[in-house]
Amino acid sequence: MAIDVRIEAPTLEDVPLLLSLIRALAEYERMSGDVVATETRLRDTLFGAAPSAEAVIARVEREAVGFALWFHNYSTFLAQPGLYLEDLFVRPDWRGRGVGAALLRHLARVAAERGCGRMEWSVLNWNEPAIGFYRKLGARPMDEWTVYRLAGDDLRRLAT
């Protein structure tokens, strides 16, 4: 049975909802202890004078069932912007019902409308259901690349 999934931009009133979805994602990814996001930070970074990222919420009727958060990056080889999907999350009881596909279709349209040359994201190696879902859509793993991260004290140390 097909469900009617609405993809909507969040409003300031949705900030607590977004934070709850982020916490649910972190719990699923076994990273709850890493969440330091606050409503104030989300307001500032998503709705402030210079937003750092964009988000959408997937709703079925009035229930928020998932979200996606992204920002633009740039490909020097393509000389085009790209869309980097930072997070996509669908509540467990809504998985397998087209919500994730609706979110990705929405983002693909955003990327196409904005002239992006590609859309990229990362997935945890153990998340086989997500990997299978992405492959079914035609996404390919970039196995020849390794993601590096500099954060916290190491980032501050390099900055000084």
Side-chain angles (χ1 to χ4, degrees), residues 5 7 88 98-111 119 137:
V5 180
I7 308 296
L88 183 140
V99 177
L103 284 163
L104 283 172
R105 256 191 315 281
H106 177 83
L107 293 181
R109 282 192 297 271
V110 168
M119 190 165 96
L137 293 175

Side-chain angles (χ1 to χ4, degrees), residues 65-112:
V65 299
F67 82 104
L69 188 138
W70 74 93
F71 55 88
H72 288 286
N73 57 14
Y74 188 80
S75 168
T76 52
F77 288 6
L78 297 176
Q80 285 181 277
L83 189 149
Y84 188 84
L85 173 60
E86 178 66 22
D87 286 311
L88 183 140
F89 176 71
V90 175
R91 291 187 188 275
D93 50 331
W94 286 95
R95 293 185 187 143
R97 297 166 74 179
V99 177
L103 284 163
L104 283 172
R105 256 191 315 281
H106 177 83
L107 293 181
R109 282 192 297 271
V110 168

Side-chain angles (χ1 to χ4, degrees), residues 3 8 11 21 30-31 34 38 48 50 58 62 78 80-81 87 89 98 101 106 109 111 136 141 146:
I3 59 172
E8 303 173 342
T11 65
L21 288 166
R30 306 171 195 154
M31 300 175 75
D34 294 341
T38 63
R62 291 185 174 168
L78 297 176
Q80 285 181 277
D87 286 311
F89 176 71
H106 177 83
R109 282 192 297 271
K136 197 162 98 174
T146 299

Side-chain angles (χ1 to χ4, degrees), residues 9 13 27 29 54 85 87 124 134 155:
E13 291 75 34
E27 183 177 325
E29 291 184 342
E54 299 175 66
L85 173 60
D87 286 311
L124 290 165
Y134 297 143
L155 178 61

Side-chain angles (χ1 to χ4, degrees), residues 1-76:
M1 177 173 114
I3 59 172
D4 182 27
V5 180
R6 288 184 339 276
I7 308 296
E8 303 173 342
T11 65
L12 277 170
E13 291 75 34
D14 290 317
V15 167
L17 170 63
L18 274 173
L19 186 55
S20 73
L21 288 166
I22 290 166
R23 287 182 176 140
L25 167 64
E27 183 177 325
Y28 174 74
E29 291 184 342
R30 306 171 195 154
M31 300 175 75
S32 293
D34 294 341
V35 177
V36 296
T38 63
E39 288 181 20
T40 300
R41 278 189 181 170
L42 285 175
R43 271 189 215 94
D44 291 347
T45 56
L46 297 179
F47 298 96
S52 300
E54 299 175 66
V56 288
I57 297 172
R59 296 182 192 268
V60 175
E61 296 181 12
R62 291 185 174 168
E63 185 178 353
V65 299
F67 82 104
L69 188 138
W70 74 93
F71 55 88
H72 288 286
N73 57 14
Y74 188 80
S75 168
T76 52

